[in-house]
Amino acid sequence: MLAYILRRLLLIIPTLFGIMVINFFVIQFAPGGPVEQVIAQVTGTAANATSRIGGSSGGDAAAGSARAPALGEGTSKYRGAQGLDPEFIKQIEKQFGFDKPPVERFFLMIGNYLRFDFGESYFRDRRVVDLVLDKLPVSISLGLWTTLIVYLVSIPLGIAKAVRDGSRFDIWSSAVVILGYAIPSFLFAVLLIVLFAGGSFLAWFPLRGLVSDNWAQLSWPDRILDYFWHIALPVIAMVIGGFASLTMLTKNSFIEEINKQYVITARAKGLSERAVLYGHVFRNAMLLVIAGFPAAFIGVLFTGSLLIEVIFSLDGLGLLSFEAAIKRDYPVMFGTLYVFTLIGLIVNLISDLTYVAIDPRIDFEGRDVG
């Protein structure tokens, strides 16, 4: 197993490198980059853009932007840059590192990332690491509680459906979970706000934020209550559509195991149905379900909460990534991509090790990595 783990860890390096290469060159040559973003600010709101650029590049950039509107000569490869001083454009390119060839920029970025130095945001004047650490508690809260609740509900429900396969309970519960799966989480979130967050009916829950403004002044029991008070509606909105796939996976896994010969033999020996179900079937049937928990958590953490964060004004990683993509904030985009991809690859390895922990008969040692 140690050799398998080592091979998988070594495989992370080329996989991560390939993902970064593809995304770098796709995004770098897409229109509307950071230089164009600043040009749009200069041509639209010159005062704000001048102060932003001047703070990073010195008085020459400010002077360049001040005299830019009077200049009409020359053309530029950037859309909307006609009439701006070419020297000013070069200063913007130097500020963002675009005065270097793309290949050189890429390897400089990778070299920094190997030291976990992700640079500073182009438009927030903060280190990328600090931004991620600030937003991480919100996304972890949503991802962790959503995944736990889905598992705590889906596994018992799936077992009950498998035991009562074809019954009225099985049919009606399937209809309910499929209906919940069909409702988009953001639409359900809006409904919860209208009903319970002061929209048109009740005002039982807060509308925005992860905690109250006076959270730091509260006692620890009150802090915990305040936290769950704020997180209740976002988590409910996210879990409503998460039951269907896991419930049906649990049900089908149990049905497959229940029909195997070892279960028939256990029943023939006189074991009770509960002993057969939880003493023999559970461990084998739960292999796929439980081993997939790390990947499920990462999936919810990084991909499932964007609209929920926007609707409930939760400033998490989903909202950060979305705003970075809109503004072409490359340090935030590539820094978060690097971290998320690395975590995802490690979680895949953890999932494999979880399989072995649940069922020691599984051995990846003799298998090809891929």
Side-chain angles (χ1 to χ4, degrees):
M1 180 55 67
L2 183 61
Y4 171 77
I5 295 174
L6 181 60
R7 291 200 305 270
R8 286 291 300 269
L9 290 175
L10 292 176
L11 185 62
I12 288 176
I13 298 174
T15 304
L16 181 60
F17 183 81
I19 292 174
M20 295 301 297
V21 167
I22 294 173
N23 283 274
F24 179 86
F25 285 100
V26 168
I27 294 176
Q28 285 286 327
F29 295 105
V35 176
E36 286 93 334
Q37 296 281 336
V38 173
I39 288 174
Q41 292 177 0
V42 170
T43 55
T45 55
N48 292 339
T50 300
S51 61
R52 184 187 300 271
I53 302 298
S56 301
S57 301
D60 292 337
S65 63
R67 66 175 178 268
L71 298 175
E73 71 278 10
T75 60
S76 174
K77 61 182 178 180
Y78 299 108
R79 184 171 55 185
Q82 289 77 11
L84 293 180
D85 189 350
E87 289 300 321
F88 175 58
I89 301 297
K90 290 181 180 180
Q91 290 176 1
I92 300 176
E93 290 178 333
K94 184 176 181 180
Q95 176 186 345
F96 292 128
F98 279 74
D99 57 331
K100 301 179 179 66
V103 174
E104 182 180 351
R105 295 203 308 269
F106 174 76
F107 282 102
L108 285 173
M109 180 187 74
I110 292 297
N112 291 330
Y113 284 9
L114 292 176
R115 303 192 303 270
F116 288 92
D117 178 10
F118 304 115
E120 293 188 2
S121 167
Y122 285 161
F123 303 105
R124 291 175 180 257
D125 296 326
R126 293 188 61 192
R127 295 171 62 236
V128 174
V129 172
D130 294 337
L131 284 172
V132 172
L133 291 178
D134 282 349
K135 316 301 181 184
L136 198 57
V138 174
S139 297
I140 288 180
S141 296
L142 292 175
L144 180 62
W145 291 115
T146 299
T147 308
L148 284 176
I149 293 174
V150 167
Y151 267 74
L152 289 175
V153 173
S154 296
I155 291 177
L157 180 59
I159 296 173
K161 287 172 62 64
V163 173
R164 300 171 178 84
D165 184 35
S167 66
R168 186 172 298 177
F169 168 79
D170 181 35
I171 296 173
W172 281 105
S173 59
S174 295
V176 172
V177 297
I178 292 174
L179 178 63
Y181 183 74
I183 300 175
S185 59
F186 72 90
L187 185 61
F188 193 73
V190 173
L191 177 63
L192 291 176
I193 290 176
V194 172
L195 294 178
F196 302 111
S200 299
F201 296 92
L202 304 173
W204 290 350
F205 295 93
L207 183 59
R208 62 178 62 241
L210 189 64
V211 294
S212 299
D213 294 336
N214 63 335
W215 187 80
Q217 285 75 45
L218 299 176
S219 62
W220 275 109
D222 290 337
R223 289 184 183 183
I224 295 174
L225 292 175
D226 182 77
Y227 165 76
F228 282 110
W229 183 44
H230 281 77
I231 206 71
L233 293 187
V235 169
I236 292 174
M238 292 184 65
V239 303
I240 191 65
F243 296 126
S245 58
L246 186 59
T247 298
M248 301 310 295
L249 176 62
T250 304
K251 175 190 173 181
N252 294 334
S253 298
F254 265 79
I255 290 178
E256 182 180 355
E257 294 296 324
I258 287 173
N259 294 325
K260 289 185 176 179
Q261 184 63 42
Y262 75 90
V263 176
I264 299 174
T265 303
R267 286 171 175 166
K269 290 181 179 180
L271 294 179
S272 65
E273 191 66 22
R274 184 178 183 85
V276 171
L277 190 63
Y278 292 99
H280 293 75
V281 176
F282 185 84
R283 183 171 186 175
N284 294 325
M286 286 294 98
L287 179 62
L288 290 174
V289 176
I290 297 178
F293 181 87
F297 169 66
I298 294 297
V300 173
L301 177 63
F302 294 142
T303 64
S305 60
L306 170 59
L307 292 177
I308 300 299
E309 290 181 8
V310 173
I311 292 171
F312 288 97
S313 300
L314 299 172
D315 195 8
L317 291 176
L319 187 58
L320 174 66
S321 301
F322 175 75
E323 291 178 348
I326 294 298
K327 295 181 179 180
R328 300 296 197 272
D329 196 342
Y330 290 163
V332 176
M333 291 174 62
F334 292 121
T336 53
L337 174 66
Y338 181 87
V339 173
F340 295 168
T341 304
L342 180 61
I343 293 175
L345 293 171
I346 294 175
V347 165
N348 285 334
L349 175 58
I350 294 175
S351 295
D352 287 346
L353 299 180
T354 308
Y355 280 105
V356 178
I358 296 174
D359 190 349
R361 295 173 299 176
I362 296 178
D363 181 20
F364 293 104
E365 186 69 29
R367 302 187 181 185
D368 293 334
V369 179

